[in-house]
Amino acid sequence: MLISVLLVVAGYAGAMADETEWTDRYVILSGDEQTGYLHVREENGAAQLEYFVDNNGRGPKNSQHIVFNPDGIPVSWTITGESTFGDPVNEFMRWEDGMFEWRSQADSGHIEAATPPLYVANDSSPWSLGIYTRVLMNLAERSLDVIPGGTLSAEPVETITVAGQDMTIWQIGGLDMAPSHIVLDRNGRFIGTAGGGIIHEDFRDAREELLRVGQELSQARLDNLHTGLAHTFDGPLRIRNAHVFDPHTAGITGPHAVTVFDGVITLIEPEAGAPDREGEYVIDAAGGYLVPGLHDMHVHMNAQNGLFHLAAGVTSVRDQGNNPERLHQLMRQIDSGEMPGPRIVPNGMLEGRSPFSVRNGLLAGSLDEALEIVRWYAERGYFQIKIYNSIHPDWVQPIIDESRRLGIGVSGHVPAFVTPDQAIGGGYDDIAHINQLMLGWVLNEGEDTRTPLRLTAMARAADLDLGSDRVQRTVSAMRENAVALDTTAMVLELLMLSRAGEYPDNVRGHVEHMPVGYQRRRRVAHVTINTPEDDQRYRAAFQTLLDTLAMLHGEGIQLLPGTDAGTGFPLHRELELYVQAGIPAGETLALATLRAEEFLGRDQYLGSIERGKLADFFLIDDDPTQNISAIRQVRFVMRGEAGYMPAEIYTRLGVRPFGTPVEIRAPENRPGDDE
């Protein structure tokens, strides 16, 4: 009998110890810390798996049973357990007597099939990558159409020696936005991922080597991906016939002719009467609209998503917690022009050590360690300290005080057993995530927000009275202490309103353009809905969240549009939600441009399209102050000295483009050219 994955970790591990010996044992790692395991038993053409991850108070947990045909293709596959946020998983596929059927959170179906097709599991484990690769490596084309859709491909990219054994790194494409790199030994046994997130226990000492190789492969892919996408100009670039969004007034001016040279806006002239000049590159905006580059105030950057941000018109981001070494390297690569990406403002994540710790950033086991980490971040120029869930309540004020002494700001979650009012009064500059604020109005004393409760308790907001003393006391404190809110409302929409088998409103407008793996992941639930009443409570609670956005904006609280995501599209949805909440589109755009830069102290050279400022802006066809969704149709992006065509970027990334590229007319004659 399969073991229930709903047992606590200790009980779960103890129960597994009574089972027959496992064939293979793997460790799940985040940074240098173990956050889970995968145990596999293979015998008689079948496999049993137990998969457990607990990272930041969440993670998938499931039991699997797979039966293979002689070619290694699954003909039966059952997965039971829970998804990352605890929603029940009961997935299966079966091929029998020429009929294939499947059911997952995302989809279900049945087809006639004389031979078993290859099924891509929805809620599985990294071990599945080995299954797919072993099937593909025996095909001449190493490519195969799969169920429920799409095409998988496998390519051997490097042979390495690990612990004296020859192994092959395979690149698997077609599953997601970027290919996966996995390691198989000479017998086709799955050893782990080249990124080091999972590795066989027998080869754990080789993780650093696999991590290095994986980073090199990813960098080589990115170098190839980036080639030729940046359009640079050895003379002035003039964008003609363009209306301009002005965040100072939240209105539209123009039409203008806007000139850029060496990454700086040098001229803004009325279009009427602006003469053509020799030596200029010219883009005819055809009456379109230039918008200052958007700023996402909550991301966790990696090298893979820089292009996604730029293609969406996101030219600046605030990184809210990352591996410092990797973030420093990425910032150097972007600043030098080696890699395309947005301008990055780094925040240093500071987490307390506990069973619920997140592994981004740096962990402290004592107050002294926490204060030393604050000093480490400060001397490296970080903008803020980001306090996280497991920081001990008694440490919060000393951390804030030390940050203030060193001239560094404070952002973050409200740690468990601390109230938002305490964080606000203690000296936070902004609170990260609107639920971290609202939980202070719905939680009972002693409830632990290091668990998924920080999501599920939001259902209580269905009954929340925003006019109550409890709420208004917090709002008054935010206003008096000039504390902002990093909203990430779209994350809460995705988590609270996603339903199995359906696309939520959160992804409409871009999901149809995405690879099938991305589409499928967006048709899963994140909270457990047992009754229609459960569904209605989450929907009513989300409306309260939108009402909270409108109330805070009306009270003069600065909203910082952030997403906690990495593909750019979510920021478009975040701004749509602001407008849905009742904030005018022009004011919403001002919050995502100039107001964000004012918060970061960079508004003297970023945030608006003005002479002398850096040339960070994007071009769309329609007026975003009348229809905020017009920002989805980006045709051209300027980020300093380089211009980008989103259509070209998306084509490289396997995404169907949203807008048509502009035409750039090169100069026929330049001053100084020979006659």
Side-chain angles (χ1 to χ4, degrees):
M1 178 178 292
L2 296 178
I3 300 165
S4 170
V5 297
L6 302 180
L7 299 171
V8 297
V9 178
Y12 189 88
M16 287 190 10
D18 296 330
E19 293 283 342
T20 306
E21 187 69 25
W22 299 102
T23 309
D24 295 289
R25 294 173 180 266
Y26 301 83
V27 292
I28 312 296
L29 298 161
S30 179
D32 295 326
E33 308 249 345
Q34 182 169 347
T35 56
Y37 52 78
L38 170 65
H39 292 173
V40 181
R41 180 171 66 247
E42 290 188 89
E43 58 184 358
N44 302 323
Q48 181 174 323
L49 284 72
E50 300 290 351
Y51 182 45
F52 187 97
V53 178
D54 188 2
N55 187 8
N56 193 16
R58 60 190 182 222
K61 304 164 182 63
N62 63 55
S63 298
Q64 304 181 39
H65 189 262
I66 312 170
V67 178
F68 301 93
N69 76 353
D71 295 323
I73 298 177
V75 294
S76 174
W77 196 338
T78 61
I79 307 172
T80 59
E82 61 184 56
S83 63
T84 298
F85 288 94
D87 196 55
V89 170
N90 187 17
E91 183 172 357
F92 85 93
M93 61 76 62
R94 178 171 56 246
W95 177 83
E96 189 176 20
D97 298 330
M99 181 61 68
F100 181 87
E101 59 180 333
W102 80 95
R103 181 190 65 229
S104 74
Q105 275 206 86
D107 42 41
S108 62
H110 61 275
I111 60 171
E112 293 183 358
T115 59
L118 181 60
Y119 175 73
V120 175
N122 192 61
D123 285 284
S124 184
S125 77
W127 199 76
S128 303
L129 297 172
I131 297 175
Y132 311 144
T133 305
R134 286 190 293 270
V135 172
L136 293 168
M137 65 193 293
N138 292 317
L139 302 177
E141 296 83 8
R142 290 181 175 151
S143 177
L144 185 66
D145 292 339
V146 296
I147 297 293
T151 302
L152 289 192
S153 62
E155 176 187 1
V157 292
E158 189 161 337
T159 300
I160 60 175
T161 301
V162 178
Q165 297 188 35
D166 291 337
M167 299 185 184
T168 301
I169 297 180
W170 289 80
Q171 178 172 287
I172 314 303
L175 282 173
D176 212 332
M177 308 291 283
S180 301
H181 291 108
I182 71 164
V183 184
L184 302 183
D185 69 9
R186 65 179 64 183
N187 298 315
R189 179 177 58 156
F190 177 73
I191 301 301
T193 57
I198 178 172
I199 191 166
H200 198 287
E201 279 190 352
D202 292 349
F203 300 95
R204 184 167 182 171
D205 290 344
R207 179 176 179 256
E208 290 300 318
E209 172 66 12
L210 293 181
L211 184 61
R212 180 190 62 79
V213 173
Q215 290 173 341
E216 290 176 354
L217 291 172
S218 295
Q219 187 62 54
R221 171 184 171 270
L222 288 171
D223 290 343
N224 181 64
L225 188 67
H226 296 158
T227 302
L229 288 178
H231 296 261
T232 56
F233 309 95
D234 56 2
L237 169 67
R238 169 95 54 111
I239 302 175
R240 306 210 60 161
N241 300 308
H243 296 87
V244 173
F245 171 71
D246 180 1
H248 294 286
T249 64
I252 300 294
T253 65
H256 297 293
V258 178
T259 302
V260 173
F261 183 67
D262 281 350
V264 175
I265 299 167
T266 55
L267 287 174
I268 301 177
E269 305 170 90
E271 177 59 36
D276 287 326
R277 300 184 179 96
E278 289 188 354
E280 287 184 334
Y281 294 82
V282 176
I283 293 173
D284 185 356
Y289 296 78
L290 290 180
V291 180
L294 301 176
H295 197 123
D296 191 327
M297 293 293 280
H298 194 131
V299 305
H300 302 277
M301 279 292 294
N302 62 50
Q304 304 285 344
N305 56 30
L307 282 175
F308 278 106
H309 285 303
L310 291 180
V314 180
T315 58
S316 289
V317 298
R318 180 177 64 161
D319 189 291
Q320 278 281 58
N322 218 315
N323 176 288
E325 182 179 351
R326 287 200 293 269
L327 182 61
H328 294 163
Q329 179 183 4
L330 180 59
M331 291 175 66
R332 285 192 293 268
Q333 289 175 312
I334 291 176
D335 291 344
S336 68
E338 179 182 345
M339 182 180 295
R343 305 179 195 274
I344 300 173
V345 175
N347 276 4
M349 181 178 283
L350 174 54
E351 170 70 312
R353 189 170 295 280
S354 81
F356 305 98
S357 299
V358 70
R359 269 67 181 188
N360 279 354
L362 301 177
L363 275 70
S366 68
L367 175 57
D368 286 343
E369 288 183 10
L371 296 179
E372 190 56 38
I373 289 170
V374 170
R375 298 171 193 128
W376 190 93
Y377 281 131
E379 68 181 0
R380 285 162 177 79
Y382 280 70
F383 179 68
Q384 290 173 306
I385 297 297
K386 181 189 178 185
I387 294 175
Y388 209 67
N389 294 331
S390 292
I391 289 294
H392 193 283
D394 293 343
W395 302 356
V396 173
Q397 195 60 56
I399 289 170
I400 294 173
D401 292 343
E402 182 66 1
S403 300
R404 293 298 182 206
R405 185 183 74 82
L406 297 171
I408 186 171
V410 179
S411 174
H413 288 208
V414 178
F417 316 116
V418 176
T419 69
D421 290 357
Q422 290 170 332
I424 292 164
Y428 270 44
D429 294 297
D430 65 285
I431 291 175
H433 307 294
I434 190 169
N435 63 311
Q436 291 284 318
L437 177 69
M438 295 179 68
L439 287 172
W441 306 330
V442 300
L443 287 181
N444 299 315
E445 186 176 355
E447 289 187 304
D448 192 343
T449 55
R450 295 173 297 178
T451 70
L453 181 69
R454 63 182 180 267
L455 166 62
T456 57
M458 285 296 292
R460 304 175 192 175
D463 304 319
L464 182 62
D465 177 6
L466 294 182
S468 65
D469 291 342
R470 188 176 191 180
V471 172
Q472 290 303 311
R473 183 169 57 248
T474 302
V475 174
S476 295
M478 293 182 75
R479 184 176 57 248
E480 292 165 6
N481 291 279
V483 175
L485 177 66
D486 165 10
T487 52
T488 67
M490 56 76 48
V491 175
L492 275 298
E493 181 189 37
L494 183 67
L495 296 177
M496 296 169 69
L497 301 189
S498 293
R499 301 292 182 263
E502 304 174 8
Y503 284 136
D505 290 342
N506 184 277
V507 300
R508 298 188 190 279
H510 74 264
V511 69
E512 299 86 355
H513 294 248
M514 311 303 283
V516 66
Y518 180 100
Q519 293 185 16
R520 201 171 181 217
R521 284 201 316 280
R522 292 300 179 262
R523 294 197 299 268
V524 301
H526 297 289
V527 293
T528 303
I529 303 295
N530 291 319
T531 67
E533 289 74 21
D534 291 339
D535 176 72
Q536 287 306 310
R537 283 190 65 77
Y538 274 111
R539 295 186 186 280
F542 187 72
Q543 181 58 53
T544 303
L545 183 152
L546 295 180
D547 294 342
T548 300
L549 284 177
M551 176 188 66
L552 293 172
H553 180 70
E555 291 289 338
I557 308 302
Q558 181 164 1
L559 303 181
L560 306 173
T563 65
D564 208 5
T567 55
F569 313 114
L571 187 59
H572 299 157
R573 181 57 183 170
E574 184 79 3
L575 302 187
E576 288 174 341
L577 288 175
Y578 279 36
V579 175
Q580 186 175 322
I583 303 172
E587 292 181 32
T588 292
L589 279 176
L591 289 169
T593 55
L594 183 62
R595 294 293 307 282
E597 295 297 353
E598 288 172 347
F599 182 84
L600 296 170
R602 308 191 312 176
D603 53 299
Q604 293 302 306
Y605 54 93
L606 285 168
S608 58
I609 299 173
E610 299 180 62
R611 186 177 187 275
K613 286 195 171 185
L614 298 180
D616 285 16
F617 53 73
F618 61 96
L619 174 66
I620 54 179
D621 283 335
D622 298 321
D623 184 350
T625 66
Q626 300 301 310
N627 175 19
I628 191 64
S629 296
I631 61 175
R632 291 182 178 272
Q633 312 296 322
V634 183
R635 300 186 63 198
F636 178 73
V637 178
M638 199 76 200
R639 196 285 203 186
E641 298 180 4
Y644 296 89
M645 306 286 190
E648 296 176 349
I649 293 174
Y650 287 134
T651 299
R652 293 270 185 98
L653 294 171
V655 174
R656 180 162 55 87
F658 296 81
T660 58
V662 300
E663 293 185 8
I664 302 174
R665 190 182 75 210
E668 296 180 1
N669 298 301
R670 306 166 192 258
D673 284 353
D674 293 335
E675 295 296 331

